[in-house]
Amino acid sequence: MGQSVTLVALDLSAAFDCIDHGTLIDRLRHTYGITGLALNWLRSYLNSRLSFVRWKSCSSDRAAVDTGIAQGSSLGPQLFSMYIAPLAELIRSFGVRYHQYADDTQLYIAISRDNVGMNLEKLERCIASVHEWLLHNGLALNPSKSEAIQFKTGRGGKQVDNVATINVSGVAVQTAETVKSLGVILDRQLSFSQHVDNVCRACYFHIRALRHVRDSLPEDVAKTVAVSIVTSRLDYCNSLYFVWYVIRQFRQVAASAEHTGSCCLEAEKVRSHNAITDPSTLATNPSACNI
């Protein structure tokens, strides 16, 4: 039986800025059992914060910050995840699967040729309930910026009718050719071709820029710069890259960086046969996956 998967990536408006401190403290105490000194420490971390605007030597009046958590802090994503944790039980009650990371929430459901209408209705009812839960907890769903995509791989997926739109809280969101999830571009066939092209394009851009200043940099500094701007991009989500044409493209990027004299890549790893033929090597050996 042919099947496809429809995914909706929900967009929350200013999510980190809308966290209610009182609700968060209650959730930490009653849901997670945090009490005593630990709870007081978290309460002091959240409360009595002030904000102001400074330009040169001028500063605005200070205003109390009664909601929100610092997005760039180490605790920010963790506290936000704990704040919206009850949402998971609501989503599961509809038989819909999900992925959550901080303010990124994705709902998805398998759709076959025989249950397209029924499962789409289930997904849309789940989204409506999620929207209501968010409103009750001081958060705002932005339907117009939410995205949807239908994954159809292999011959089985072609047997399922295309899903044109998904109703996201009254807004008809058209299914897209690609969506971005945590920096990774997902396409309908899950080939990752556009994502790989973007990664290679970014790497080549930085390699060309590095060549302009290469002669002015000591070798150790050049290697550090190359690792930070090139190798780090090849490493990111490297477990996704298990097909030969992706490895070939990344090997070309690595070879270009090595030719620049700025990337410390071992020749035997560049020519590693296992890096192409053994997917387990890619998941456990980032250096092999880079190339």
Side-chain angles (χ1 to χ4, degrees), residues 24-95:
L24 176 58
I25 291 297
D26 288 341
R27 199 151 288 164
L28 294 174
R29 179 170 53 241
H30 298 299
T31 303
Y32 296 96
I34 300 176
T35 59
L37 184 61
L39 186 65
N40 291 335
W41 178 77
L42 288 169
R43 185 183 286 111
S44 68
Y45 173 78
L46 294 170
N47 296 338
S48 303
R49 287 184 175 269
L50 300 174
S51 67
F52 64 96
V53 177
R54 173 177 292 169
W55 185 75
K56 294 185 178 180
S57 60
C58 300
S59 298
S60 67
D61 294 335
R62 285 159 172 75
V65 179
D66 299 323
T67 61
I69 51 179
Q71 186 170 358
S73 64
S74 299
L75 277 177
Q78 182 66 40
L79 290 176
F80 187 92
S81 298
M82 298 170 81
Y83 186 84
I84 65 168
L87 187 59
E89 188 62 32
L90 173 65
I91 297 172
R92 283 195 295 265
S93 69
F94 285 89

Side-chain angles (χ1 to χ4, degrees), residues 3-7 107-111 149-153:
Q3 281 196 332
S4 67
V5 172
T6 298
L7 178 144
L107 312 178
Y108 62 98
I109 193 169
I111 295 177
I149 189 171
Q150 183 182 18
F151 300 112
K152 301 175 69 174
T153 61

Side-chain angles (χ1 to χ4, degrees), residues 243-258:
V243 288
W244 66 270
Y245 57 85
V246 173
I247 305 302
R248 184 179 62 185
Q249 286 181 271
F250 279 11
R251 290 177 72 181
Q252 292 172 349
V253 173
S256 178
E258 186 180 26

Side-chain angles (χ1 to χ4, degrees), residues 27 83-84 86-87 90 129-137:
R27 199 151 288 164
Y83 186 84
I84 65 168
L87 187 59
L90 173 65
S129 294
V130 168
H131 190 185
E132 184 178 355
W133 186 94
L134 292 172
L135 289 175
H136 287 165
N137 286 269

Side-chain angles (χ1 to χ4, degrees), residues 27 59 63 79 100 105 108 143 151 166-169 194-195 281:
R27 199 151 288 164
S59 298
L79 290 176
Q100 286 180 292
T105 299
Y108 62 98
F151 300 112
I166 300 290
N167 187 337
V168 179
S169 296
Q194 183 172 338
H195 175 72
T281 303

Side-chain angles (χ1 to χ4, degrees), residues 156-172:
K158 297 179 181 179
Q159 300 175 15
V160 184
D161 294 336
N162 290 329
V163 176
T165 60
I166 300 290
N167 187 337
V168 179
S169 296
V171 176

Side-chain angles (χ1 to χ4, degrees), residues 210 214 217-232 257-258 260-265:
L210 185 57
R214 175 62 186 91
L217 298 176
E219 183 177 355
D220 58 338
V221 174
K223 290 178 180 178
T224 301
V225 172
V227 168
S228 65
I229 65 176
V230 177
T231 311
S232 61
E258 186 180 26
T260 307
S262 58
C263 192
C264 186
L265 299 175

